[in-house]
Amino acid sequence: MKQVLLVFLGGGLGSILRYLVSRPLNSFLGNFYLGTFTVNIIGCLLIGFVIGISSKNNLLSSNSTLFLATGICGGFTTFSAFALEKHNFIKTGDFLPVLFYASSSIVVGILAVALGFWLSKLTG
């Protein structure tokens, strides 16, 4: 139960941070969502840093890693977890799976958004 609470608190904090960072930046460049792009890249940087230091000499406890990586980074952006998973594939030399998984996630994700919009119009 403690781990669930850590993820809950970190996720809430990450979501608030995403809102505070992305909202003002999204209005600057029209169709390019600079705020979303920024939080995705920052999230990738942070999750790489957190996982890196947690695996190096056990500098972070498993609860701290859970709070920071799964909670805060997960609430800040799910793109960070996506990028970490692809990084792990590349480290092991699994280039075909990373290519398939990354491209299908993007394409299917966009199609799922479109389907969600379409379904919402049916409930009208």
Side-chain angles (χ1 to χ4, degrees), residues 40 44 47 78-88:
N40 285 338
C44 291
I47 202 168
T78 58
F79 190 75
S80 58
F82 175 81
L84 176 65
E85 292 165 354
K86 298 321 134 283
H87 171 74
N88 289 337

Side-chain angles (χ1 to χ4, degrees), residues 17-96:
L17 290 171
R18 178 179 62 232
Y19 175 77
L20 293 174
V21 171
S22 68
R23 182 147 191 229
L25 292 176
N26 274 344
S27 60
F28 284 146
L29 294 177
N31 288 338
F32 185 79
Y33 294 95
L34 180 61
T36 302
F37 181 79
T38 301
V39 297
N40 285 338
I41 300 308
I42 290 171
C44 291
L45 176 67
L46 290 175
I47 202 168
F49 181 75
V50 168
I51 297 300
I53 65 169
S54 72
S55 63
K56 183 179 181 178
N57 301 325
N58 295 322
L59 291 176
L60 292 175
S61 70
S62 60
N63 284 337
S64 296
T65 302
L66 189 64
F67 174 75
L68 293 169
T70 305
I72 291 180
C73 289
F76 193 60
T77 172
T78 58
F79 190 75
S80 58
F82 175 81
L84 176 65
E85 292 165 354
K86 298 321 134 283
H87 171 74
N88 289 337
F89 275 125
I90 292 169
K91 276 187 3 186
T92 60
D94 294 326
F95 298 109
L96 190 57

